[in-house]
Amino acid sequence: MAKWGEGDPRWIVEERADATNVNNWHWTERDATSWSSEKLKELLLGLRVEGEQGSCEVTEVSKVEGEASINNRKGKLIFFYEWNLKAKWKGVTKSGIKYKGHIEVPNLSDENDMEDLDISVTLSKDQPDTQLLTLMRKEGAEKVRTALGTYISSLKTEFTQGMILPTANGLSVAQTSQSKAKVDKTMIGSNCSTPAANTGVKIPTCKFTIKDTFMTSPEDLFRVFLNQEMVQAFTHSAAMVQPDKGGKFRLMDGNVMGEFLELVPEEKIVMKWRYNSWPSEHYATITLTFSDRGRETGLTVECRAVPESEEERTKEGWHRYYLQSIKQTFGYGSRLY
């Protein structure tokens, strides 16, 4: 048993290693049940909706029954969760009449898509009909669905921090503190919420190169950029990654997106890459070149067609939210030059 977050019993997790493996693959399993139970209560309690009919609020999470765990096997994080949830809500009309009811989610599971989630909203027995029920079944249920989606995203990002990831060269990776799991996304997240319109005007661009060194093999570093679970780990947010030529990716809550143009295993990745706030359909071309240096890997990041006005922001974003975050998350730290 290992503690994640001293002094807080919610962070007690189970961690097992397969001692019989012969290829230096490390197998880690964590029980996320206690953490998940607290997280679900935190996200659901106090949810509030308002409308012309009045307002409603989730006042109690009465049942959180189920389990959750994470397995890390050969670089792939596998998530298992299954929950039966019940909550109580109260509402008050504009005229001051009070109502109460129940919410039930019987099938929050890794086997079901969020769109297929059953969210049942009812009135308590002997309560007369009210338009507040319609409000809760529409806007209230949607807020519950969003909160549960946040739980799944947090399970795949916050809770996975520090899980031991595999290295083909036998180097073990460092665990990171849970207190450092939340990343300040001001560089990548801010000013990126609304896509910019296509002005139809050619914009001035620039190019630059970043060089860095990682204490791992080209194979492992190459995989970091293409494995969806590993991308989610170092970006600390949900991600969609299609690891093939022509495959799309979307990171940082949709603030970064692009497409893989060329993939040469352990040697090179070429991608179209853009911030969501850049002029519509304008992409930079990013080329990652991996150099085998024995127990180290040299990485050259060549960025072309970056809008001149975005040069410093893009440089800082790659330094901080890609390179440094990869080192901190997986223990590949070395000097930057």
Side-chain angles (χ1 to χ4, degrees):
M1 300 291 287
K3 285 187 178 180
W4 188 352
E6 283 295 329
D8 188 345
R10 292 178 302 169
W11 297 103
I12 295 177
V13 298
E14 178 183 353
E15 195 169 273
R16 299 188 301 177
D18 184 356
T20 62
N21 76 83
V22 295
N23 295 315
N24 293 319
W25 290 114
H26 205 99
W27 169 29
T28 306
E29 178 180 321
R30 278 189 174 160
D31 181 359
T33 301
S34 295
W35 178 90
S36 294
S37 179
E38 294 300 319
K39 191 69 175 180
L40 287 164
K41 291 177 183 177
E42 173 191 324
L43 291 168
L44 293 173
L45 191 62
L47 280 183
R48 182 179 177 85
V49 292
E50 295 188 14
E52 295 180 357
Q53 308 92 329
S55 61
C56 303
E57 182 176 341
V58 177
T59 56
E60 180 184 342
V61 181
S62 53
K63 180 179 181 180
V64 181
E65 185 178 87
E67 59 183 353
S69 63
I70 306 172
N71 287 297
N72 179 351
R73 184 71 173 180
K74 295 186 178 181
K76 183 175 179 62
L77 294 178
I78 305 171
F79 299 87
F80 301 96
Y81 54 90
E82 186 172 4
W83 294 100
N84 183 350
L85 309 172
K86 290 184 179 180
K88 297 179 181 179
W89 63 272
K90 292 182 179 179
V92 58
T93 65
K94 293 290 187 180
S95 58
I97 302 174
K98 296 180 180 179
Y99 293 85
K100 57 184 179 180
H102 303 274
I103 302 170
E104 183 172 1
V105 184
N107 64 336
L108 178 61
S109 167
D110 58 275
E111 296 181 353
N112 298 323
D113 294 332
M114 289 303 296
E115 294 78 11
D116 300 328
L117 204 59
D118 294 329
I119 302 176
S120 173
V121 181
T122 58
L123 283 169
S124 296
K125 291 182 178 180
D126 303 324
Q127 293 278 294
D129 288 338
T130 172
Q131 289 299 309
L132 291 179
L133 181 59
T134 301
L135 177 66
M136 278 298 293
R137 283 178 171 172
K138 291 183 178 179
E139 296 183 28
E142 192 57 36
K143 281 208 169 185
V144 169
R145 192 184 307 275
T146 299
L148 298 179
T150 299
Y151 155 69
I152 295 170
S153 176
S154 297
L155 177 66
K156 294 181 177 181
T157 55
E158 290 180 24
F159 193 76
T160 57
Q161 291 305 300
M163 288 196 72
I164 301 173
L165 292 167
T167 58
N169 57 13
L171 296 175
S172 60
V173 301
Q175 294 190 351
T176 58
S177 169
Q178 177 67 18
S179 64
K180 297 179 181 179
K182 295 182 180 179
V183 172
D184 175 10
K185 295 189 179 70
T186 53
M187 183 60 60
I188 288 183
S190 64
N191 302 320
C192 295
S193 58
T194 304
N198 190 346
T199 62
V201 178
K202 185 175 180 180
I203 61 175
T205 63
C206 65
K207 63 179 180 179
F208 58 84
T209 299
I210 303 171
K211 293 185 178 181
D212 204 348
T213 302
F214 293 80
M215 297 295 293
T216 189
S217 66
E219 177 186 2
D220 290 334
L221 188 58
F222 185 87
R223 184 172 62 248
V224 166
F225 290 94
L226 299 177
N227 182 290
Q228 181 167 298
E229 287 81 9
M230 297 177 83
V231 171
Q232 289 179 151
F234 80 75
T235 61
H236 310 284
S237 61
M240 183 279 290
V241 181
Q242 299 172 339
D244 302 296
K245 181 178 179 180
K248 304 291 177 42
F249 58 84
R250 182 179 290 267
L251 321 177
M252 315 285 183
D253 298 320
N255 293 313
V256 170
M257 63 191 69
E259 177 182 338
F260 295 114
L261 302 178
E262 183 180 358
L263 300 174
V264 181
E266 304 177 33
E267 295 182 11
K268 184 167 66 173
I269 296 174
V270 182
M271 67 183 89
K272 290 167 53 179
W273 186 97
R274 61 180 262 108
Y275 282 123
N276 194 32
S277 60
W278 286 2
S280 181
E281 298 306 316
H282 180 86
Y283 288 84
T285 299
I286 309 292
T287 301
L288 308 180
T289 305
F290 304 81
S291 302
D292 191 350
R293 299 176 182 170
R295 297 187 65 183
E296 296 181 347
T297 297
L299 177 67
T300 300
V301 182
E302 183 180 356
C303 304
R304 295 178 176 271
V306 175
E308 279 189 357
S309 60
E310 295 285 294
E311 179 178 3
E312 290 306 314
R313 177 178 170 226
T314 305
K315 281 182 181 178
E316 178 63 19
W318 270 88
H319 275 301
R320 185 174 179 182
Y321 296 106
Y322 278 86
L323 309 183
Q324 292 303 313
S325 187
I326 287 171
K327 290 179 179 182
Q328 292 167 3
T329 302
F330 306 123
Y332 297 160
S334 185
R335 64 189 180 280
L336 183 69
Y337 62 91

